[in-house]
């Protein structure tokens, strides 16, 4: 097994770019993971590991898991502490990193309870929403003009749910929703308006998709126009709106209860 000790090694530089650059991720059709939990989650996902890098210290703690990843990965490298610090996106690196092949978009959902993200830009929000979606039992997530779901902050916020949830990226959310309506879905857009239907009164029986809007501007007008209903989360306090991640979690809970 080759050992990498130089922070200027090409493999190290290329891996670091996958953490920091969306352009690099999509040009190479790869994304990067850091830490034992996220890297080992790949073993129980449909994703294919590409390059594994790890320190002697992490190998001593997780020999079985790293051996299992080594068998599946195309390339495996032992790295030292300096290289680990170079690659890390955290203050206390665990010493294991993995590049993973992206999946192509699957077929659009034919049924179920779906959440759609319209221009959600904060990676922490996107990751938290995907994590909540998996935890609550949502069938899939549609993203449109959002931050890159493979952004390292989004991946960490999802706690690995990005590897397990069915996520489809739409290049035209309005047309995607129109198609879903033709397949029997009801479309709901969340808005901070007292004139909208209270979320507790909305009928989520059958196939349904709820749209969560941009943190500052909400759901786009053309998306509202194709929605069956505008729904709102009643608030008794003085705040005018909720964080997108919180609003999404409440909406998904109501969709499934």
């Amino acid at each position: 097994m080759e050992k990498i000790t130089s922070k200027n090694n090409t493999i190290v530089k290329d891996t670091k770019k996958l953490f920091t650059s969306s352009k690099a991720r999509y040009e190479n059709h790869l994304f990067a993971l850091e830490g034992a939990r996220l890297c080992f989650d790949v073993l129980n996902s449909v994703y294919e590991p590409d390059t594994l890098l790890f320190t002697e210290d992490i190998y001593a703690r997780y020999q079985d898991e790293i051996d299992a990843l080594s068998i599946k990965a195309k390339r495996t490298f032992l790295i030292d502490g300096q290289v680990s610090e170079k690659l890390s996106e955290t203050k206390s690196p665990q010493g294991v990193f993995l590049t993973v092949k992206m999946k192509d978009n699957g077929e659009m959902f034919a049924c179920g309870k779906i959440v759609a993200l319209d221009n959600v830009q904060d990676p922490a929000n996107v990751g938290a929403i995907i994590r909540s979606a998996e935890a609550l039992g949502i069938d899939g997530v549609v993203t449109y003009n959002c931050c890159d779901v493979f952004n390292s902050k989004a991946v960490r916020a999802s706690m690995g749910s990005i590897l397990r949830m069915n996520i489809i990226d739409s290049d035209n959310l309005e047309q995607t929703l129109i198609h879903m309506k033709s397949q029997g879905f009801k479309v709901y857009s969340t808005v901070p308006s007292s004139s909208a239907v209270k979320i507790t009164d909305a009928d989520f029986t059958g196939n349904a998709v709820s749209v969560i809007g941009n943190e500052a501007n909400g759901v786009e007008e053309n998306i509202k126009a194709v929605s069956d209903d505008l729904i709102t989360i009643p608030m008794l306090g003085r705040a005018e709106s909720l964080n997108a991640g919180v609003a999404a979690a409440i909406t998904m809970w109501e969709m499934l209860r």
Side-chain angles (χ1 to χ4, degrees):
M1 181 190 306
E2 183 179 345
K3 184 172 183 178
I4 298 175
T5 58
S6 171
K7 295 186 290 186
N8 295 317
N9 181 281
T10 301
I11 294 167
V12 175
K13 289 182 177 179
D14 289 346
T15 302
K16 186 65 177 181
K17 284 181 182 178
L18 296 178
F19 280 115
T20 59
S21 169
S22 180
K23 180 180 179 182
R25 288 191 286 271
Y26 284 91
E27 282 181 349
N28 293 281
H29 211 59
L30 293 168
F31 63 97
L33 301 174
E34 174 184 357
R37 177 168 183 168
L38 287 175
C39 291
F40 301 155
D41 273 353
V42 174
L43 291 168
N44 298 308
S45 77
V46 297
Y47 284 90
E48 183 180 344
D50 185 77
T51 301
L52 173 65
L53 304 101
F54 61 90
T55 63
E56 291 180 350
D57 288 345
I58 196 75
Y59 185 70
R61 294 174 59 194
Y62 297 104
Q63 181 174 341
D64 290 345
E65 291 87 347
I66 289 177
D67 284 344
L69 270 180
S70 298
I71 292 170
K72 292 190 173 185
K74 285 188 174 181
R75 303 184 299 177
T76 301
F77 299 96
L78 186 64
I79 58 174
D80 64 14
Q82 286 187 330
V83 173
S84 178
E85 290 178 3
K86 170 72 174 181
L87 288 172
S88 182
E89 295 287 292
T90 65
K91 291 182 179 180
S92 302
Q94 289 184 298
V96 59
F97 308 87
L98 184 69
T99 68
V100 182
K101 286 188 177 181
M102 291 182 181
K103 294 190 303 179
D104 294 328
N105 252 2
E107 293 184 5
M108 188 50 65
F109 308 105
C111 61
K113 299 293 192 289
I114 309 299
V115 64
L117 308 185
D118 176 15
N119 283 277
V120 179
Q121 295 301 310
D122 186 339
N125 280 336
V126 170
I129 291 169
I130 293 171
R131 180 182 180 183
S132 296
E134 183 189 26
L136 294 172
I138 288 290
D139 296 293
V141 178
V142 176
T143 60
Y144 167 69
N145 202 27
C146 295
C147 75
D148 181 4
V149 297
F150 297 113
N151 176 295
S152 60
K153 291 181 180 179
V155 172
R156 288 199 300 273
S158 83
M159 294 297 287
S161 291
I162 281 173
L163 300 171
R164 297 180 293 271
M165 280 297 295
N166 192 358
I167 304 169
I168 291 177
D169 186 53
S170 169
D171 58 8
N172 187 323
L173 184 57
E174 179 181 354
Q175 290 303 312
T176 295
L177 294 175
I178 290 171
H179 171 73
M180 293 180 77
K181 289 179 70 171
S182 74
Q183 301 299 306
F185 280 87
K186 288 194 71 174
V187 176
Y188 301 89
S189 284
T190 57
V191 296
S193 172
S194 59
S195 63
V197 176
K198 291 182 179 179
I199 194 168
T200 50
D201 296 332
D203 180 11
F204 291 113
T205 57
N207 300 322
V209 53
S210 292
V211 183
I212 306 298
N214 173 265
E215 291 88 345
N217 302 312
V219 177
E220 295 176 314
E221 293 300 323
N222 63 320
I223 303 303
K224 294 178 187 177
V226 301
S227 299
D228 293 291
D229 272 319
L230 303 182
I231 58 175
T232 193
I233 299 168
M235 292 180 289
L236 300 178
R238 297 173 63 183
E240 295 181 355
S241 62
L242 292 168
N243 167 273
V246 173
I250 294 171
T251 300
M252 291 185 286
W253 170 261
E254 291 292 336
M255 290 177 75
L256 292 162
R257 75 185 182 94

